[in-house]
Amino acid sequence: MCSLSGRQRGGKMVLQILRPPLLKHLQTASLTCVVSRNYSAKATIKQGEQVTIAGREYLTDQMTNVTSHLLSHVGRNLHLQKYHPLNHISQRIVQYMYQKYVSSRGNPLFSVHNQIHPVVTTWQNFDSLLIPKDHVSRQKSDNYYVNKENLLRAHTSAHQCELIGMGFDNFLVIGDVYRRDEIDASHYPVFHQVEGVRLCTKRDIFGSHQNMDSFRMFENGERTRQKQGVHIAQVLQLLESDLKSCLLGLATTLFGQDVEARWVDAYFPFTHPSWELEVKINNDWVELLGCGIIEQEILSNTGAQDKIGWAFGLGLERWAMKLYSIPDIRLFWSTDSGFLSQFQFDDPATNFKYQVYLIDTYTHPKKKSTSCCYRIVYRHMEKVITQEEVNIIHKRIEEKATADLGVTMR
Ligand code: DAH
């Protein structure tokens, strides 16, 4: 019996390297070197074992490929952690949706589901979303399977059907998602998504009229690039413009009113038509989210056949990295105060850039030259970093600063 919770974490060692002061010292360079030992627990779990994931038990089989190291991330719930950058962004998104869609009595229409268990069935993750049986996204090499029937959700879309089936018409799902991936500065096997779903009745689309029977949303038409066969074109247009204005509004609320944005046609098995929203950041087009009109077959399967709807999904890390200039996705998992303490603001809408800290300045009274002392935290995201490795990087920073900024190193 092997029980795993979210608490298995490697030890952390903090080294302080203080450079010996120079003879005529105006400044000492201070280096804090944080050595992390997170990668000791990579063992895969054997077949036929009982494994507990966030309080639920599963029997492993030949499909199991979760590792104890990966499972140590389950339950961290970074999106729920106070002051965590992912929490700030998700709060801003929730706030935006709350004020964008209100009932006639002034209450928010959207409900927020941010603590749904991350283990889902293959039916939830794939079949319920019309993902074909032989689709590449089901591969063992791309997912973390708990056993043949269950996996760690690969996207928050996995919860669409159950929530629609429960009667929710407007909802957000916020949670951790898991995909097998090579780790680098922008990829990590665990990240966080926000899923949004909005369903509309005839009344939502046309408003209340005396004779609602004369208004129709469905027809037996042809499926084209622009629409599903069952949707009447004018109805689809209203829904599409609601979706696009909602998401453009969200992007400009967070990235600024002047941000350049564009819609790109996309394909998802569960929406048609589908789009991606891109915004221009530092001269690069960055994909922010995927969205589309929910396949009517999904709504019929969940008992919502008299409604039409849209959905979107976005990755919180991508948004946070762009908004706060966070250079490496692995930093979100840091328990190091050097990272987290920078996000301790109560208003999630605070404009902020992650940075290296300036800890002291000094102007020489006679020479009038100013010394600036910065603290840089060196930390390798996967292994123990040695002092020699730190010295090489530090030397390069010194050389680059001297060449590009014309400063003198001390
Ligand atoms: N689930 C998709 C993904 O993870 C994102 C997505 C795209 C979600 C379109 C949606 C949608 O709800 O309509 O890549």
Side-chain angles (χ1 to χ4, degrees), residues 30-53:
S30 153
L31 289 186
T32 308
C33 171
V34 180
V35 181
S36 68
R37 288 194 178 143
N38 280 337
Y39 273 68
S40 51
K42 272 202 167 161
T44 34
I45 293 158
K46 290 197 201 77
Q47 276 184 44
E49 271 183 36
Q50 198 83 346
V51 57
T52 308
I53 303 173

Side-chain angles (χ1 to χ4, degrees), residues 44 70 97 103 126 146 149 187 214 222 232 285-286:
T44 34
L70 180 87
M97 295 302 282
S103 72
F126 304 115
V146 175
E149 288 90 38
H187 297 91
S214 60
E222 215 175 284
I232 288 182
W285 286 105
V286 177

Side-chain angles (χ1 to χ4, degrees), residues 150-170:
N150 300 285
L151 71 159
L152 286 159
R153 64 183 161 226
H155 52 179
T156 42
S157 311
H159 300 291
Q160 276 191 18
C161 281
E162 57 184 308
L163 290 166
I164 295 171
M166 288 163 80
F168 290 100
D169 285 340
N170 299 281

Side-chain angles (χ1 to χ4, degrees), residues 334-346:
S334 167
T335 50
D336 185 61
S337 59
F339 176 72
L340 289 174
S341 64
Q342 298 195 35
F343 296 93
Q344 289 200 6
F345 36 80
D346 285 306

